[in-house]
Every structure is written in structure tokens, then in C-alpha cells.
Amino acid sequence: MPWDTGRPGGSADGGPEGAGTARSRAQKQCRKSSFAFYQAVRDLQPVWQLENMRASEAFHWDERGRATAYSPSEALLYALVHDHKAYAHYLLATFPRRALALPSTGFRCCAEAGLHVALAVRYNRVGILRRILCTVRDFPSEERTRLLDRCGCSRVEGGGTSLHVACELARPECLFLLLGHGASPCLRDGGGLTPLELLLRQLGRDTGATSAAGEPVPGEPRQRRLLLLDLLALYTPAGATGPARCELLGDQPRWQRLLGDDKFHWLAGLAPPSLFMRAMQVLVTAISPSRFPEALDELPLPPFLQPLDLTGKG
């Protein structure tokens, strides 16, 4: 094993090479060989080759310097980072629970489940996220909820869920997939904000620039956040928008121009949602996670939902 300094020439008590030097050389070799698997995933090598490398104890060592194989969970993290769809799909089909289990401590900062879901959103891996969500359909409800509603590390991720990450990074496709599979839009991050409240704050910053006529300057980030808002509105329960009132009523004219009267009055708690919005809420939330997003093709979707590519191929 690479950290074994008891081999000839590397002992601390008799070899020509000191234990510290031998350990340093072994650690360098460990890092070099460990990088070989990472590099192979990055280079999108064939699945069979990656699996041979993953299962071999020649390419990975744990925190204590012991030779070990990469777990399916750790391999899936690499596949997510480098968007190796074929390998991710293989891991999820062959090792559904092991692929979504907690990786070793060297691959994470906390012990919360659902790391792969959050990482798929962060890297905008729509195709792999969809396959992950298809995989967890068969999990028990408590296990599925734990994966979807994971609160991230407070130090690194601000204690937010994957929905918070989707709102923060403006990932409408990821947000729609998560909501359609049952992720809760009512959970709060470390700062006490729901995804809706976080999104409104970001919209407020995005629309700080105005034209000479006082209208918000259009821009791609703002349009994507408005799309996120429309999607969240479909899944937000009645009465859950109350805490956002102060944000909206603090600058009512600007928010009315940005959101339109109907949406502003509903989010501010001044009126119920429009009949159209209520009808869409009923239609979309009636879709079972086991048929999402395939069943969307059967619905008369409004224009703001049409551009979403939920296949991950776009």
C-alpha cells in the first residue's frame, strides 16, 4: 500500500530512507494514481474502462492511506462534475442506492444526504438530475424526501435546499424537475428565506437598474428569474407567500411594473391567484412524480413553460 513505510528502504529504523521521506513519496504517488480515475471520467472514457478503474484498489486510497475502491457514490460525483451522462446513467441503474449514498468524508463537508441532487443543480446537469429523480421514485417516501429536501452545509451552501440553489443560480429546468418530483418550496435556508423569498431578493437586485422612464432594464438574468418565479408560483401553497409581503409592499410601484398587477397582488397577499394561475396549479400539481415530466406533454401548457428543455439534451 502506498503509505506503508515498512517496506525495504523505507523503514524509520534501519533503511537508508527516512520514514518521513518515504511517506511523502507514497502520498505523492497516491495523489497521482487517484487523479488518474478523475482524469478518465473528465475525458469521458468508456463506461467499461471507468468501471474497471473504479473497482480497482490501485486508483484510490482513503483518508487513512488504505487502498480501497471508489464507491459508486464517489464515481457519480465525478460523473456529475464532468457531465459524463453515460457513466452516471450506468451507476444509477446498476447501484441505485449506493450511487446516491453518502460518499466518504474526503468528498463532502457534512453528513447530509442528497449531495448528488444539489451538485446536479449547481452544475446544471439537467439530464443526470432527471435520471436521479427517476431513480428515487422507487425509494421509500421518507428516503426520497430526505434526498430532495436536503439542507446543505451552513458554512458552504448557506443551509439551503436544492431549490434554493436552483433559484440562486437561475436554473429553471432543475427547479421545475425538483418541484414536479415533490421537493418542498416552503423550507428555509440558513438565513431564514424560502426559495420564493430568496428569488424576490435577487429580482430586487437585478432590477436596480432602470431606464430614464423608470422602467426596469431588461436582461437575461432577470428574465430567467421571472421564469423561476412563475414556476414557484405553480407549487406554492395558499398562504405561503405571506412572509414576502414586506419585500413587495416596501416598493409597490416598482414590483407592480415588474410582476404585473395580478401576480403582485397575489404574492403580496392582497388578492387570491387569478383563475388561470389557480387552474394551472391544479393541473400541474395533479401530476404524480412517477409520471413527471412525461405527463406534461398531455397538458395545454402556457407559453412560459414551453421553452423548458427537461431532457438534458439541449
Side-chain angles (χ1 to χ4, degrees), residues 117-125 156-157 165 168-169 171:
V117 176
L119 195 67
V121 176
R122 187 165 296 278
Y123 281 89
N124 203 28
R125 306 306 191 204
V156 179
E157 300 170 280
V165 177
E168 178 187 358
L169 300 178
R171 310 278 197 236

Side-chain angles (χ1 to χ4, degrees), residues 29-261:
Q29 179 60 31
C30 174
R31 287 193 294 268
K32 183 177 180 180
S33 54
S34 293
F35 182 67
F37 178 65
Y38 175 89
Q39 190 174 33
V41 180
R42 182 197 66 187
D43 294 342
L44 306 181
Q45 295 299 322
V47 170
W48 67 266
Q49 179 179 336
L50 295 175
E51 269 302 275
N52 285 342
M53 295 179 70
R54 182 192 68 78
S56 170
E57 294 186 352
F59 293 98
H60 183 42
W61 287 269
D62 64 17
E63 291 76 13
R64 288 177 286 182
R66 299 177 305 182
T68 182
Y70 280 97
S71 70
S73 173
E74 293 156 357
L76 181 57
L77 291 176
Y78 284 169
L80 277 164
V81 170
H82 297 299
D83 201 21
H84 198 321
K85 296 183 182 68
Y87 192 35
H89 293 179
Y90 169 84
L91 291 166
L92 289 164
T94 310
F95 315 101
R97 278 192 163 75
R98 291 174 60 198
L100 295 173
L102 276 175
S104 61
T105 55
F107 285 80
R108 55 184 169 86
C109 59
C110 61
E112 294 290 337
L115 173 62
H116 302 85
V117 176
L119 195 67
V121 176
R122 187 165 296 278
Y123 281 89
N124 203 28
R125 306 306 191 204
V126 178
I128 299 178
L129 176 62
R130 182 171 177 177
R131 182 56 63 98
I132 290 174
L133 296 174
C134 288
T135 301
V136 303
R137 289 174 181 175
D138 299 326
F139 289 12
S141 59
E142 289 185 3
E143 187 177 355
R144 185 169 61 248
T145 298
R146 189 167 63 251
L147 290 171
L148 293 179
D149 291 339
R150 163 192 181 266
C151 290
C153 174
S154 58
R155 299 189 305 274
V156 179
E157 300 170 280
T161 66
S162 296
L163 289 181
H164 286 91
V165 177
C167 290
E168 178 187 358
L169 300 178
R171 310 278 197 236
E173 294 85 1
C174 293
L175 183 87
F176 200 13
L177 283 170
L178 289 168
L179 289 169
H181 281 85
S184 173
C186 301
L187 299 178
R188 299 185 179 276
D189 62 12
L193 300 176
T194 65
L196 177 62
E197 292 161 4
L198 174 65
L199 187 57
L200 287 174
R201 287 198 176 184
Q202 291 184 321
L203 272 169
R205 290 196 297 267
D206 289 345
T207 57
T210 56
S211 66
E215 295 293 330
V217 176
E220 178 65 20
R222 182 167 68 87
Q223 294 303 320
R224 290 181 69 81
R225 297 198 195 283
L226 287 173
L227 174 55
L228 288 162
L229 186 64
D230 287 331
L231 294 171
L232 273 174
L234 292 176
Y235 291 88
T236 300
T241 61
R245 292 188 65 189
C246 294
E247 186 83 26
L248 296 170
L249 296 177
D251 192 351
Q252 183 169 341
R254 182 166 69 95
W255 282 110
Q256 278 186 281
R257 287 196 302 272
L258 176 64
L259 303 176
D261 288 338

